[in-house]
Amino acid sequence: GQLEKLELGPGRKDGARPPPAPWKRVVEAADAYLARAGAEPTSPRAPSDRYPSAPEIALVAAEVQYAYGELDDARRRLDAALDRWPSDPELLEQAIPLYLGTYQVRGDRAGQVAAVEKLRARAEAEAAKAPPDRKPAFAKAIEALDRARAGGKFALGEELLKQQKPAEAAQAFEAAAADATAPDAASALHNAAVAWDQAGDPAKAAAVRERLLRDHPEATFTADDVLRLAAHRSRQGDHAGSARLYDEFLRRWPESPSRCVALRNVASELDVADRPVDAAARYLAFGRDRSCAKQDPSIAARALVRAGRLYEGEARGAYDAAAGLEGVTDPEAKEQVSEARKRLERK
């Protein structure tokens, strides 16, 4: 508690500055010890809690250098420690955030992603030959690296978007979402779709949104993406498919602020898809919905009139077909056909 606290977060500023004399002595003592620690080249953990082990000493020296802006030296020390004690999963797990932080501080997202791949390859190789009691620890380190990989690619996508490189950003976001269990997989897919739209490739944006709907139907972003996907299907001429998506939206998110838009659009898509009876029912449902009618009475009125015309057209077709039937002998049926003819004459 007598030394200045080390700041090890990735939000710290780059740029070397001299450490206080006590921390400088810690680094010098660590270097002196590690140069003479040949007695424990393969026994990384000390049997007593009184003294730190050699890997722990190496890690502290790297932390001091990192905290005072010597990022390249901190990374060099971590590489040396991992090379010296490759079979120590605890060292690897403790080194991961610091190692990746040397890239994050500088905003080097591509370097961060490459570093994750390097560390992961190392972890997998050591896990394959580790004794059974160490395999769970290596698995834990690999899991941490998988999270870091997804996070790094997500951050890379954001950086590429800022650089006005939407296609490259979309690819980075899709890579971040490659593992459906990644913490930000749904967000990554949503961002990938937005980036593909910005890149002028609506087909790829639609394909990503289909993945989002399939793999993450409950994500907060999915509702908006379903609406965008339905609009895309409509532009492509798949009006029946568009109507199904609007239907799914209404089923999944009945309280959404976009509910009235979806209710109106499903009717319109069914109308264009030449399904007049279904379309009429949906126009009627939209026009009679009090909240939707209150938002825009004129649109509600047009929807109700369209429903009436569609029903009227279907009714006229039915009456005309009935009137054209030959051989009707049942008295009640003949009376109904006669009424149908009268209706046709009135219309």
Side-chain angles (χ1 to χ4, degrees), residues 4 6-18 63-72 74 98 101-108:
E4 178 181 322
L6 298 179
E7 177 54 60
L8 302 177
R12 59 170 306 286
K13 300 294 185 182
D14 189 14
R17 63 189 192 282
E63 288 174 346
V64 173
Q65 295 299 82
Y66 175 90
Y68 290 96
E70 295 285 358
L71 302 182
D72 294 331
L98 197 66
T102 63
Y103 293 95
Q104 289 177 269
V105 167
R106 290 174 172 167
D108 185 0

Side-chain angles (χ1 to χ4, degrees), residues 117-139:
E117 298 298 343
K118 171 185 171 182
L119 291 175
R120 199 181 188 286
R122 180 197 293 269
E124 285 187 328
E126 291 300 326
K129 57 187 178 183
D133 62 324
R134 289 195 176 184
K135 286 187 182 295
F138 273 114

Side-chain angles (χ1 to χ4, degrees), residues 175-198:
D179 182 356
T181 64
D184 291 323
S187 300
L189 285 174
H190 172 78
N191 285 7
V194 171
W196 281 126
D197 278 336
Q198 293 182 13

Side-chain angles (χ1 to χ4, degrees), residues 81-101:
L82 292 171
D83 287 340
R84 187 169 181 175
W85 298 287
S87 61
D88 185 348
E90 293 178 23
L91 171 64
L92 174 62
E93 185 180 0
Q94 293 169 347
I96 287 170
L98 197 66
Y99 198 99
L100 299 182

Side-chain angles (χ1 to χ4, degrees), residues 30-342:
D31 289 343
Y33 172 74
L34 292 171
R36 296 162 175 78
E40 54 171 340
T42 59
S43 178
R45 296 291 156 190
S48 169
D49 291 335
R50 288 187 60 192
Y51 304 107
S53 67
E56 289 168 340
I57 290 173
L59 187 62
V60 168
E63 288 174 346
V64 173
Q65 295 299 82
Y66 175 90
Y68 290 96
E70 295 285 358
L71 302 182
D72 294 331
D73 186 62
R75 193 186 307 153
R76 178 190 62 77
R77 289 171 179 275
L78 292 172
D79 274 324
L82 292 171
D83 287 340
R84 187 169 181 175
W85 298 287
S87 61
D88 185 348
E90 293 178 23
L91 171 64
L92 174 62
E93 185 180 0
Q94 293 169 347
I96 287 170
L98 197 66
Y99 198 99
L100 299 182
T102 63
Y103 293 95
Q104 289 177 269
V105 167
R106 290 174 172 167
D108 185 0
R109 302 302 184 185
Q112 179 186 345
V113 171
V116 169
E117 298 298 343
K118 171 185 171 182
L119 291 175
R120 199 181 188 286
R122 180 197 293 269
E124 285 187 328
E126 291 300 326
K129 57 187 178 183
D133 62 324
R134 289 195 176 184
K135 286 187 182 295
F138 273 114
K140 186 178 178 182
I142 290 171
E143 184 180 343
L145 285 165
D146 285 342
R147 290 194 299 269
R149 175 167 59 183
K153 290 178 179 178
F154 192 98
L156 177 60
E158 292 180 316
E159 187 65 30
L160 289 167
L161 270 184
K162 291 178 183 177
Q163 297 173 10
Q164 303 297 314
K165 298 177 180 178
E168 294 176 38
Q171 293 170 350
F173 284 128
E174 286 198 68
D179 182 356
T181 64
D184 291 323
S187 300
L189 285 174
H190 172 78
N191 285 7
V194 171
W196 281 126
D197 278 336
Q198 293 182 13
D201 199 330
K204 288 184 178 178
V208 171
R209 290 187 172 112
E210 287 171 354
R211 285 174 55 197
L212 179 61
L213 179 58
R214 182 187 69 239
D215 297 340
H216 306 279
E218 305 305 324
T220 55
F221 308 97
T222 305
D224 179 62
D225 282 283
V226 169
L227 292 178
R228 292 177 182 273
L229 183 57
H232 172 76
R233 292 270 180 87
S234 178
R235 289 192 295 271
Q236 295 298 112
D238 182 9
H239 300 290
S242 177
R244 284 193 296 272
L245 284 167
Y246 283 123
D247 254 341
E248 183 162 2
F249 176 88
L250 290 165
R251 179 175 59 82
R252 287 182 179 274
W253 299 281
E255 305 300 323
S256 169
S258 300
R259 173 180 168 276
C260 290
V261 172
L263 198 59
R264 181 186 68 203
N265 286 357
V266 71
S268 177
E269 294 300 326
L270 288 168
D271 197 352
V272 179
D274 198 23
R275 291 170 55 181
V277 175
D278 293 334
R282 294 310 184 89
Y283 279 128
L284 193 61
F286 168 72
R288 284 179 171 174
D289 187 285
R290 290 184 179 180
S291 62
C292 297
K294 187 177 180 180
Q295 288 181 20
D296 195 325
S298 297
I299 292 180
R302 286 199 291 268
L304 289 170
V305 170
R306 180 60 179 163
R309 288 175 177 171
L310 289 171
Y311 278 132
E312 187 178 68
E314 288 300 298
R316 186 175 182 83
Y319 293 151
D320 189 57
L325 286 174
E326 297 181 0
V328 178
T329 57
D330 179 78
E332 185 177 352
K334 290 176 69 176
E335 184 178 344
Q336 291 178 354
V337 169
S338 177
E339 178 63 24
R341 290 196 178 99
K342 292 177 183 179

